[in-house]
Amino acid sequence: MTQQGVRRSADDVLALAPDDSSRRAGSRLGVVDPWTGVGSSAEGAVWGQCEGSGGRPYLTVVDVAGPAGPAYKCSCPSRKFPCKHALGLLLLWAAGDGSVPTGAAPDWAAEWVAGRRRRAESEQAADEGGPASGPADPEAARRRAERRADRVTAGATELEQRLCDLLRGGLATAEQSGYAMWEETAARMVDAQAPGLASKARELGAIPGSGAGWPVRLLEECALLHLLARGWLHGADLPAGLSAAVRSRVGLPTSPEGPPVRDRWLVLAQYDTADSRLTTRRIWLHGTGTGRTALVLSYGPVGRAPELALPVGRLVDAEVTPYPGTGQFRVALGERFAAPEPTAERPAGTATARAAARYGEALLHDPWLDAVPVTLDGVVPVPDGDSWQLADAKGDLAIPLSAAARAGAGLWRLVALSGGAPVTVFGECGHRGFTPLTAWPEGPGAAVPLC
């Protein structure tokens, strides 16, 4: 791939920023003054040295054409990914005014780019069962899977006993015991190699004393966790699709299956969530040909954003491979055949009543599903006492916004975009309400990210 084939516009570059402050800081560095030794290669590497507050400049290099997507490295101490220096360097390069000449990369940049591409190609070969994966031993793999299944079964059995003890003693004991009880339960599930059960146990620990009605919420979540443990213990009796959902929720690794699906995918939304261990990036896609909605997950270490980033509102010509499980949205992003391009496309919307029904239907295939992707057409954000809701402009029904949506700045961007007129909104609809992620104005107009 040539450099010209991967060159991005300024909008594409700014869409990579992990937050607004990085976007602003990167924009200030997208000029010639702070940079020395800048250059680019025909293979898609860009490098430069940026003046910093210390005596030494920051060494920044970006691989915009690597096999696993764009990657960044900078000697600055920032924990954001990409950092402002990488964004500024890409903006300078995207201008295409000759300020970033083509040439040979310095050793420090060339070594990093070459090493990263070797690792990515090795991982890809391993995933495809190529020579890098080494000789397979099906019998050893089967024995490892059996040992892990036995551990998970023991953990699910212990978890069932702990839930029974909690209910026998009364939910009030959960508040008296504090978070330590749930953290200890989670540690036991980690020992059982069931990270999904561990995560659910930690979530339960945050409920006691969390406000009015917490015993009801705790009972509901305990029931769902009980259902998951029973689903694992009786997995042989479940339909294949539901059994796959149980295995995924428990935390067993799964691999994408089936032939890749190529389409021109509209990037509907992108946002990050973080816990004490990982930063998870969720990217929602809409197939303009297949009509399919797909979810790409990408992970990064705590405090750093994942490498994969796709600009919201752009079209990506790419292949995806679905993960197993009935009603599963998750896919693995495969080969991309072109850089993201601007588009006037937007997904077809539905009414608020249908959005709630869609979530109910999805629960048949995955009872632990928090929300489903939905595009609402012709809705108006309106206040509802201390809360907000999206009202159907052509009917008398409305859907409430989730607490997370009401607390974020995206709500006010949505209100400003609407100005009392109907808008199209994509988001996640679940038992906590609707969380808007992206909106489009009533007439022609670009997508407006809300998260």
Side-chain angles (χ1 to χ4, degrees), residues 284-306:
W284 284 107
L285 304 174
H286 169 73
T288 56
T290 61
R292 176 175 186 156
T293 303
L295 174 65
V296 177
L297 296 181
S298 181
Y299 302 96
V302 61
R304 296 184 70 91

Side-chain angles (χ1 to χ4, degrees), residues 257-334:
E257 297 178 355
V261 178
R262 182 174 177 178
D263 203 341
R264 288 166 59 80
W265 299 94
L266 173 64
V267 184
L268 293 174
Q270 173 179 289
Y271 68 94
D272 296 349
T273 57
D275 57 24
S276 60
R277 294 164 179 79
L278 281 177
T279 298
T280 302
R281 174 164 291 168
R282 300 168 66 88
I283 303 176
W284 284 107
L285 304 174
H286 169 73
T288 56
T290 61
R292 176 175 186 156
T293 303
L295 174 65
V296 177
L297 296 181
S298 181
Y299 302 96
V302 61
R304 296 184 70 91
E307 288 190 18
L308 179 62
L310 297 175
V312 174
R314 300 295 179 99
L315 274 182
V316 180
D317 184 1
E319 289 181 340
V320 303
T321 304
Y323 279 78
T326 306
Q328 173 69 263
F329 295 105
R330 188 183 176 191
V331 299
L333 183 63

Side-chain angles (χ1 to χ4, degrees), residues 390-418:
L390 295 177
D392 194 329
K394 298 180 180 179
D396 56 357
L397 296 178
I399 189 167
L401 295 188
S402 65
R406 299 195 303 270
L411 170 61
W412 305 113
R413 287 199 291 270
L414 177 60
V415 172
L417 178 69
S418 166

Side-chain angles (χ1 to χ4, degrees), residues 42-353:
E43 291 74 30
V46 188
W47 59 86
Q49 302 180 45
C50 186
E51 293 179 4
S53 55
R56 294 183 178 180
Y58 296 124
L59 304 182
T60 308
V61 56
V62 182
D63 180 10
V64 296
Y72 324 87
K73 181 176 178 60
C74 184
S75 60
C76 76
S78 173
R79 297 179 67 85
K80 295 182 179 181
F81 200 77
C83 68
K84 63 182 181 181
H85 305 101
L87 292 170
L89 178 61
L90 284 177
L91 287 171
L92 187 65
W93 171 69
D97 57 5
S99 55
V100 182
T102 301
D107 291 344
W108 58 270
E111 291 174 2
W112 177 80
V113 172
R116 177 183 181 273
R117 293 186 180 180
R118 283 196 301 269
R119 289 191 299 273
E121 289 167 358
S122 176
E123 291 169 2
Q124 182 177 2
D127 290 341
E128 295 173 353
S133 62
D137 186 345
E139 180 60 24
R142 184 189 63 80
R143 290 195 298 269
R144 287 194 299 270
E146 287 181 351
R147 287 195 296 270
R148 179 167 188 177
D150 289 342
R151 293 191 187 98
V152 175
T153 297
T157 302
E158 180 180 347
L159 179 61
E160 282 281 87
Q161 184 60 53
R162 288 174 179 244
L163 291 174
C164 287
D165 292 343
L166 171 65
L167 294 179
R168 288 194 188 99
L171 294 181
T173 60
E175 187 175 24
Q176 297 166 2
S177 301
Y179 189 76
M181 176 185 72
W182 300 105
E183 185 58 39
E184 194 268 337
T185 301
R188 294 290 296 163
M189 295 305 103
V190 170
D191 292 341
Q193 293 187 289
L197 296 180
S199 177
K200 291 293 184 183
R202 290 191 181 94
E203 291 174 5
L204 290 181
I207 297 177
S210 61
W214 71 261
V216 174
R217 295 193 299 275
L218 180 60
L219 185 60
E220 290 173 346
E221 295 301 325
C222 283
L224 285 172
L225 188 52
H226 162 74
L227 184 64
L228 181 56
R230 299 298 291 178
W232 172 265
L233 295 174
H234 298 275
D237 302 327
L238 299 178
L242 184 57
S243 178
V246 169
R247 292 175 62 85
S248 176
R249 294 294 179 182
V250 165
L252 267 66
T254 57
S255 299
E257 297 178 355
V261 178
R262 182 174 177 178
D263 203 341
R264 288 166 59 80
W265 299 94
L266 173 64
V267 184
L268 293 174
Q270 173 179 289
Y271 68 94
D272 296 349
T273 57
D275 57 24
S276 60
R277 294 164 179 79
L278 281 177
T279 298
T280 302
R281 174 164 291 168
R282 300 168 66 88
I283 303 176
W284 284 107
L285 304 174
H286 169 73
T288 56
T290 61
R292 176 175 186 156
T293 303
L295 174 65
V296 177
L297 296 181
S298 181
Y299 302 96
V302 61
R304 296 184 70 91
E307 288 190 18
L308 179 62
L310 297 175
V312 174
R314 300 295 179 99
L315 274 182
V316 180
D317 184 1
E319 289 181 340
V320 303
T321 304
Y323 279 78
T326 306
Q328 173 69 263
F329 295 105
R330 188 183 176 191
V331 299
L333 183 63
E335 183 176 358
R336 284 175 273 172
F337 301 95
E341 60 185 49
T343 180
E345 290 271 2
R346 61 178 68 182
T350 190
T352 54

